[in-house]
Amino acid sequence: SFFPTFRKFCHMAAAVASPLLAIPSSSAAGILAYLDEDDVKLKTRALQKLYSIVDVHWAEICNSLPVIEELSENTSFPAADLAAATASKCYYHLQEYNDALRLALCAGKYLDISVRSEYVETILAKCIDEYKSLRQQQELLSSGKSSLDSNDVPEGLSKPIVIDPKMENIVEQMFQRCYRDLCFEQAIGVSLDTKRIDKVEEVVATAISAGRANILPYVFALCQNARNITPREFRLSVIDVLVKHYGTLPVPDYSNMCFGLQYLNRPEEVARILDLLLRGSLEDALLAYQIAFDLQETENQGFVLKIFANFPPQIVNPSSSAETNIASDFAIQQYEERLAKLKRVLIEGLDVDLTLNFLFKHAHTDPAVLKDIKTAIEGRSNVLHNATIVSHALMHAGTTRDSFLRENLEWLGKAKNWAKFSTVGSIGVVHKGHVHESMNLLQPYLPQDGQSTSPYSESGALYALGLIHANKGGSGDSATITYLSNALRNAGTNEIVQHGACLGIGLAAMATGNEELFESLRAVLFTDSAVAGEGAAFAIGLLMLGQSESPLAQQVLPDLLNYLHDTAHEKIIRSLSLAIAMMVYGKEEGADTIIEQLSRDRDPIVRYGAMYAIAMAYCGTADNGSVRKLLHVAVSDVNDDVRRAAVTCIGFLMFRSPDVVPKLVSLLAESFNPHVRYGACLAIGISCAGSANKDAIDLLTPMLDDQVDFVRQGALISMALLLQQTSEARSPSVKRIRELLASVVTDKHQPILAKSGAILAAGILDAGGGNCVLSMQSRAGFMRMGACVGVMMFLQHWYWYPLQHFLSLSLAPTFLMGLNKDFDIPVGFEVLCNAPPSMFAYPKVEEKKEEDKKMVATAVLSTTARAKAREARKDALTRRAAANKGAMDTEGPPLEKVTSHLSTTSYLSIDTPHAAVAEPKAKKLREPSMHALNNPSRLTHQQTRFITLQVGQRYVPICRQANPAGLIILLDKEPTLPENVVKVERVSLGQEEDAAAPEPFEWDPSNE
């Protein structure tokens, strides 16, 4: 028995001693046997062999996992890290990734993250996920609050969270690997996921030093899409880092610096940057003008006013040198000229004048649409009468074209009481932005010498004044706000006038947070008048829009919340709930406390306001928790209004991800509850406006024939929003929808709600003369504050129809207008659109030609027809017999079958037929694949991505980071040559478009 044992020992020793000895590929049992030996070297050598074959024989090695794990935990064992690496791979193949990561952390040098293998990538991913989870728990503990439910809180969450240094070491190695591979996007992603602001700064600095400055706009885009970076405080700290590094570039990016400072609400720093640019070269001054136009596009009136208020005063340095004084005087004069131009943009409303000029001259609406609607609804319903007026207002919003109203004054006079209020208010929509002529325009409706002829007309005029000056009333000398405040004071106890004055104040002073105005509005609110209180509550929300963290808001919010339960008027409760929702606009997590308080209220009207508070606080963020909460309420609340609001508000949260919304609400669109279906329609319309999304069209199409009238109304409005600025070449649905709208209006069997929806849809479809689209964000990616609140207020027309005019606040003009240094329009500037002209063309206006009156054929009786046929045959035979016999018989005219108008009996006609002459078909010219856009031209949002700059032009945009769109400042590369420009003139009151020039002709005096 000695020799077999000795031979076995020799074989085992040889297997351990010789590294080149081939291991049998069929089994690892021989190697595993050494793990039971007492010799440390044998165990170490065995683990080395096992580690090399673990990917092949892992199933067999797993049987010895307890032994291997025990070795990895033995601190005195020299190959503990090797044992841990082997065990980690076994658990990896078993798909036990938590245990695989736990042991990989102890593997030391055997875990080389530079190796490209599936195992390493999986362990790294698991490590980062675990590290992210631990970091989030640390953040929750440090912030003193948890967003998790009580059942979901981890057991150890109440204890301090300690992250293993080994895990942090692996994460650090991963960052170094990204730096080596120049994968800065992956590194910044891990930094953002793990909330490591220090790593964000390190990655950005490393990328810039490596020549990858494009990391800055990449991160900035992630910050604008708030869904990627939460919470809001961390996102703002990231933007702060970006602003610092934008300034350290070889050529500082002042444009994005100002955008970031607007997010951070630092108007004084923006003022310093603009002041610095104005004192620089001509290009710097042009950049300052461009930044000012972009800031105006965000519609944050309060922020813009603070910028100009924080401009540093002009400082003159005394000098003894005459030449220096002359140079200094020239510099001061140049600076003052540039500052005056900047003031025109920021304060005096130059952007509004330019927009009005474009909308007036480029309006493309079909006047026959409104005429047909007016004819179809004549004398039928006051609801349809008001819908037609609102449709006209939206169709001509901002164009100042009110010829339809002036041509139908008698028809307009049918509006009584609140309908008159809405009619006069619609003038403000048509003349939106016509701030310089607003008082002259509305003078006939405002009180004369302190006497009012009609309180409804006066109130509507004050409402229209607010719509004209919406988000612009605080500019300049604030004369409009002063006038509205005096009107509110002089209204006394007339609640009708108070209602219009309050709405006007809220619109004109939007987001300014003026304490004096707030006190006057609160006094009206606390009178407990339903009509006046509703207007005051809405005005408070508009005035304090996004101001919930201000000292004034913190002081008055408890009183407003208490008054919700003290008043008995539903109109005040609803409007005050919505006012609180407006106050928390854009606050995200900062609004959670108020949202929770409103959501748990017993009153369904207050819960209704809570849904819009979620929409305003998280607008455009696509926050998962908020979407989940809205979906839960949509299927669980006992009140239909709350459920409808919950579904509708999904559109506010998801409008930056329009492709997701149809799938998200597809099941809700099939709900048995019509209010939920209505909400699903509006959610799609709000989020997908102007996109012509095919999935959205397919989802809305069945609801156009819904059994419930108000669901059809919502589907028609949403379809119109969806197809705004969409040509028939892009979507065949456009023609079908226009025909459907016309048929619904003229169909006598359609209910009033469906008809009113079709009338409103007709105006929305061609909003702003076909040059406007509903948009809640600017071209730079900022939220358009006025647009968001405008859509929210429009949706309240369910309860108060004059609020339909608020939709005009959300209409954004889509055009391209290049301006030179003097704010004139150069004629020679063009851009190239790489798409056929029909793809983004205006809708065709079909001129209805008067048909020529034709004589109606006389009815022929069947007996008369037969008698005439017999006589005709006899005459034909007689003529043949009398013909010359020598001549060739000619065939008579062929007999033609003619049908009687009064009988199915036919007779034969021998009238000479006229041979039809085939006209040659005109050859259809092939449409070009691209076309040039002149300055200015309409440029839709969907068209922007097809735009490129013409090479070799005299004028180039001062900012070249993105495709040109909107108001752009141009740099003249040949400033010494004369310019061919068009002066921009303000649209005067009652101005009509110039008639088209006649066709060329020759005049001959002899023909007189």
Side-chain angles (χ1 to χ4, degrees):
S1 61
F2 170 79
F3 290 103
T5 305
F6 180 77
R7 282 197 300 270
K8 179 181 178 182
F9 177 80
C10 292
H11 287 306
M12 291 168 60
V16 173
S18 177
L20 300 177
L21 186 62
I23 303 296
S25 60
S26 60
S27 175
I31 306 299
L32 292 171
Y34 289 104
L35 297 178
D36 297 329
E37 299 294 333
D38 295 332
D39 192 341
V40 174
K41 292 183 179 180
L42 285 176
K43 292 180 180 180
T44 303
R45 190 60 178 168
L47 286 172
Q48 291 175 351
K49 292 296 183 181
L50 291 175
Y51 184 73
S52 64
I53 64 172
V54 66
D55 292 327
V56 179
H57 296 286
W58 61 269
E60 194 173 1
I61 297 174
C62 286
N63 295 325
S64 300
L65 263 179
V67 178
I68 299 174
E69 278 198 75
E70 184 179 352
L71 293 174
S72 68
E73 296 170 358
N74 187 353
T75 56
S76 61
F77 184 60
D81 53 353
L82 180 59
T86 306
S88 174
K89 284 197 171 184
C90 288
Y91 279 116
Y92 161 73
H93 288 292
L94 290 171
Q95 297 185 2
E96 296 289 343
Y97 299 126
N98 290 326
D99 291 328
L101 173 62
R102 174 178 56 83
L103 290 162
L105 294 177
C106 302
K109 63 181 180 180
Y110 291 97
L111 181 62
D112 185 3
I113 67 170
S114 63
V115 176
R116 304 287 182 173
S117 68
E118 186 178 351
Y119 166 75
V120 172
E121 299 298 331
T122 304
I123 292 299
L124 274 179
K126 185 64 181 176
C127 179
I128 292 172
D129 289 342
E130 185 67 19
Y131 183 71
K132 173 184 172 182
S133 176
L134 294 174
R135 286 285 302 173
Q136 287 177 345
Q137 293 179 27
Q138 284 184 336
E139 291 291 329
L140 291 173
L141 286 179
S142 63
S143 62
K145 61 182 180 180
S146 174
S147 61
L148 300 174
D149 296 334
S150 57
N151 297 330
D152 298 332
V153 176
E155 296 179 359
L157 188 60
S158 59
K159 301 178 182 179
I161 303 297
V162 179
I163 300 178
D164 191 344
K166 298 175 182 177
M167 181 180 293
E168 291 187 339
N169 182 44
I170 291 179
V171 174
E172 182 62 33
Q173 291 181 44
M174 191 279 305
F175 278 111
Q176 298 304 321
R177 168 181 161 182
C178 289
Y179 298 158
R180 289 193 302 270
D181 298 342
L182 301 179
C183 298
F184 297 108
E185 288 80 4
Q186 289 87 335
I188 203 69
V190 176
S191 305
L192 296 175
D193 283 344
T194 56
K195 307 294 187 293
R196 291 283 301 273
I197 192 65
D198 57 328
K199 284 297 179 183
V200 172
E201 190 158 7
E202 177 185 303
V203 173
V204 170
T206 307
I208 293 175
S209 61
R212 299 295 184 90
N214 58 350
I215 193 68
L216 291 172
Y218 174 77
V219 181
F220 198 85
L222 291 177
C223 291
Q224 286 185 315
N225 190 358
R227 181 181 186 180
N228 300 310
I229 307 175
T230 55
R232 180 169 173 263
E233 290 77 7
F234 176 70
R235 183 164 63 251
L236 294 179
S237 62
V238 174
I239 293 176
D240 192 16
V241 170
L242 297 179
V243 170
K244 294 176 183 176
H245 285 281
Y246 271 125
T248 62
L249 295 175
V251 179
D253 190 345
Y254 292 115
S255 180
N256 280 318
M257 284 178 68
C258 291
F259 291 155
L261 291 171
Q262 183 176 358
Y263 274 114
L264 299 172
N265 196 22
R266 297 180 189 169
E268 62 283 350
E269 295 186 33
V270 177
R272 283 199 293 270
I273 291 176
L274 293 178
D275 179 71
L276 176 66
L277 292 173
L278 291 180
R279 298 178 188 276
S281 63
L282 176 61
E283 291 190 25
D284 292 337
L286 295 179
L287 180 59
Y289 304 151
Q290 183 66 67
I291 293 172
F293 277 121
D294 292 340
L295 290 173
Q296 282 285 48
E297 192 179 359
T298 63
E299 299 182 352
N300 193 336
Q301 179 180 202
F303 185 80
V304 171
L305 293 177
K306 290 176 183 177
I307 291 175
F308 204 79
N310 281 280
F311 256 81
Q314 180 68 31
I315 300 175
V316 180
N317 295 322
S319 174
S320 58
S321 172
E323 295 180 359
T324 306
N325 283 336
I326 295 174
S328 177
D329 292 342
F330 175 76
I332 292 173
Q333 182 181 0
Q334 185 185 58
Y335 174 80
E336 289 178 349
E337 291 176 356
R338 292 176 177 179
L339 184 61
K341 290 182 179 179
L342 188 70
K343 184 179 179 181
R344 289 182 63 192
V345 179
L346 291 177
I347 303 298
E348 298 176 1
L350 175 63
D351 60 319
V352 177
D353 292 338
L354 295 170
T355 303
L356 273 179
N357 187 281
F358 176 82
L359 293 179
F360 172 74
K361 292 184 176 180
H362 295 80
H364 285 72
T365 54
D366 188 355
V369 173
L370 287 173
K371 291 180 181 178
D372 293 344
I373 292 175
K374 175 179 171 294
T375 304
I377 67 163
E378 194 73 42
R380 291 187 178 274
S381 169
N382 291 333
V383 175
L384 301 182
H385 184 276
N386 177 75
T388 306
I389 293 172
V390 176
S391 178
H392 164 265
L394 295 175
M395 190 180 294
H396 298 87
T399 64
T400 72
R401 295 188 175 188
D402 54 2
S403 56
F404 176 80
L405 298 180
R406 288 187 274 108
E407 292 170 1
N408 298 278
L409 293 177
E410 183 179 353
W411 178 75
L412 289 176
K414 297 179 180 180
K416 304 297 181 184
N417 300 333
W418 287 110
K420 182 182 293 185
F421 168 85
S422 180
T423 301
V424 178
S426 70
I427 299 175
V429 178
V430 177
H431 292 268
K432 179 178 177 288
H434 208 175
V435 294
H436 303 289
E437 298 286 349
S438 58
M439 296 303 297
N440 296 331
L441 175 69
L442 298 171
Q443 194 65 36
Y445 307 100
L446 294 171
Q448 306 291 335
D449 299 328
Q451 297 181 354
S452 174
T453 56
S454 170
Y456 295 100
S457 296
E458 179 183 346
S459 182
L462 297 173
Y463 180 27
L465 194 61
L467 289 168
I468 292 174
H469 291 264
N471 222 358
K472 301 291 182 184
S475 303
D477 58 357
S478 305
T480 305
I481 293 178
T482 303
Y483 180 86
L484 290 168
S485 300
N486 293 334
L488 178 62
R489 192 179 304 110
N490 298 332
T493 58
N494 190 330
E495 61 179 9
I496 299 171
V497 179
Q498 284 179 329
H499 184 84
C502 288
L503 289 176
I505 291 173
L507 284 163
M510 186 185 298
T512 58
N514 188 295
E515 187 171 356
E516 183 180 351
L517 292 175
F518 175 83
E519 291 300 332
S520 62
L521 293 171
R522 182 164 64 170
V524 176
L525 174 66
F526 286 167
T527 59
D528 208 38
S529 167
V531 175
E534 181 184 33
F538 281 136
I540 287 174
L542 293 168
L543 180 71
M544 302 296 293
L545 181 61
Q547 306 277 330
S548 63
E549 296 177 352
S550 66
L552 176 60
Q554 293 294 324
Q555 179 184 351
V556 302
L557 262 174
D559 295 339
L560 298 179
L561 289 169
N562 290 332
Y563 190 65
L564 276 175
H565 301 91
D566 294 340
T567 182
H569 298 291
E570 288 188 3
K571 293 171 75 70
I572 296 180
I573 297 173
R574 181 177 294 106
S575 58
L576 199 52
S577 300
L578 294 171
I580 295 172
M582 287 185 263
M583 293 173 71
V584 299
Y585 167 83
K587 298 306 177 185
E588 299 183 27
E589 294 85 0
D592 285 348
T593 304
I594 295 177
I595 291 173
E596 190 67 19
Q597 183 177 349
L598 297 177
S599 300
R600 295 184 180 275
D601 199 281
R602 186 179 302 175
D603 191 341
I605 302 177
V606 179
R607 297 200 304 274
Y608 175 88
M611 300 301 102
Y612 283 100
I614 296 174
M616 291 290 100
Y618 290 93
C619 189
T621 63
D623 181 70
N624 287 330
S626 300
V627 173
R628 193 181 303 115
K629 184 180 296 185
L630 291 174
L631 291 174
H632 174 72
V633 173
V635 297
S636 64
D637 200 279
V638 296
N639 185 270
D640 286 337
D641 290 348
V642 180
R643 298 179 68 179
R644 183 182 68 249
V647 182
T648 303
C649 290
I650 293 175
F652 286 89
L653 269 67
M654 303 295 296
F655 78 86
R656 281 177 168 158
S657 306
D659 296 335
V660 180
V661 179
K663 298 176 183 178
L664 188 63
V665 301
S666 58
L667 293 178
L668 296 173
E670 300 174 359
S671 171
F672 69 93
N673 190 321
H675 292 266
V676 175
R677 298 200 299 273
Y678 179 87
C681 290
L682 291 181
I684 294 172
I686 293 169
S687 59
C688 303
S691 66
N693 185 293
K694 187 178 183 302
D695 293 336
I697 293 174
D698 294 341
L699 194 60
L700 288 175
T701 301
M703 286 188 280
L704 294 173
D705 299 321
D706 197 277
Q707 295 180 353
V708 182
D709 51 1
F710 65 80
V711 177
R712 294 207 293 277
Q713 182 192 62
L716 289 168
I717 293 174
S718 298
M719 189 69 85
L721 289 171
L722 191 64
L723 296 176
Q724 280 182 321
Q725 294 189 331
T726 303
S727 65
E728 294 181 15
R730 279 189 61 211
S731 176
S733 301
V734 176
K735 184 177 180 180
R736 187 175 70 251
I737 292 302
R738 289 185 182 274
E739 294 173 351
L740 175 64
L741 296 179
S743 64
V744 170
V745 173
T746 55
D747 189 353
K748 297 180 180 180
H749 303 289
Q750 288 284 354
I752 289 180
L753 282 181
K755 283 191 174 186
S756 63
I759 295 172
L760 287 174
I764 293 171
L765 200 57
D766 295 322
N771 295 305
C772 291
V773 65
L774 186 146
S775 177
M776 290 192 284
Q777 68 174 343
S778 67
R779 290 183 300 104
F782 282 91
M783 300 289 296
R784 294 178 62 230
M785 184 181 290
C788 297
V789 73
V791 176
M792 190 201 78
M793 292 293 288
F794 166 75
L795 296 176
Q796 309 315 311
H797 75 267
W798 181 281
Y799 305 100
W800 187 224
Y801 65 89
L803 298 179
Q804 291 170 336
H805 299 316
F806 270 86
L807 186 64
S808 62
L809 302 185
S810 65
L811 298 177
T814 55
F815 64 95
L816 169 72
M817 182 182 291
L819 305 172
N820 66 359
K821 64 180 187 301
D822 298 320
F823 300 145
D824 296 327
I825 303 175
V827 176
F829 177 68
E830 289 183 347
V831 295
L832 188 65
C833 178
N834 296 293
S838 63
M839 189 66 68
F840 302 102
Y842 285 103
K844 296 179 181 178
V845 179
E846 298 181 0
E847 297 182 0
K848 294 184 177 180
K849 299 180 180 178
E850 294 185 2
E851 298 180 358
D852 297 334
K853 294 182 179 180
K854 298 181 180 180
M855 298 296 293
V856 179
T858 305
V860 180
L861 296 177
S862 59
T863 54
T864 305
R866 286 194 294 271
K868 287 184 177 182
R870 284 195 297 270
E871 292 178 0
R873 286 196 295 271
K874 289 180 181 179
D875 291 342
L877 292 174
T878 304
R879 286 196 296 271
R880 281 202 193 103
N884 189 359
K885 295 182 180 180
M888 183 182 295
D889 290 339
T890 58
E891 295 184 1
L895 297 179
E896 184 180 8
K897 189 174 183 180
V898 180
T899 304
S900 169
H901 295 280
L902 297 181
S903 173
T904 57
T905 307
S906 299
Y907 65 94
L908 298 177
S909 170
I910 58 170
D911 294 339
T912 305
H914 300 283
V917 180
E919 298 181 359
K921 294 184 178 179
K923 188 176 181 181
K924 188 176 181 180
L925 298 177
R926 186 176 181 181
E927 187 178 18
S929 59
M930 60 182 65
H931 63 288
L933 296 180
N934 299 323
N935 184 25
S937 292
R938 183 178 83 154
L939 181 62
T940 68
H941 290 167
Q942 302 297 325
Q943 190 178 5
T944 305
R945 66 178 186 271
F946 296 96
I947 297 299
T948 56
L949 292 172
Q950 297 271 33
V951 180
Q953 290 194 99
R954 175 177 175 178
Y955 299 94
V956 293
I958 193 66
C959 288
R960 304 179 184 87
Q961 291 94 336
N963 290 333
L967 294 168
I968 57 175
I969 300 296
L970 302 175
L971 175 65
D972 187 359
K973 296 191 295 185
E974 300 174 355
T976 57
L977 299 179
E979 292 186 283
N980 182 14
V981 298
V982 176
K983 297 286 184 181
V984 179
E985 299 177 355
R986 287 179 178 172
V987 179
S988 60
L989 193 61
Q991 180 177 346
E992 295 289 344
E993 188 181 10
D994 295 336
E999 295 292 333
F1001 64 94
E1002 294 182 1
W1003 176 60
D1004 186 2
S1006 61
N1007 293 332
E1008 287 291 325

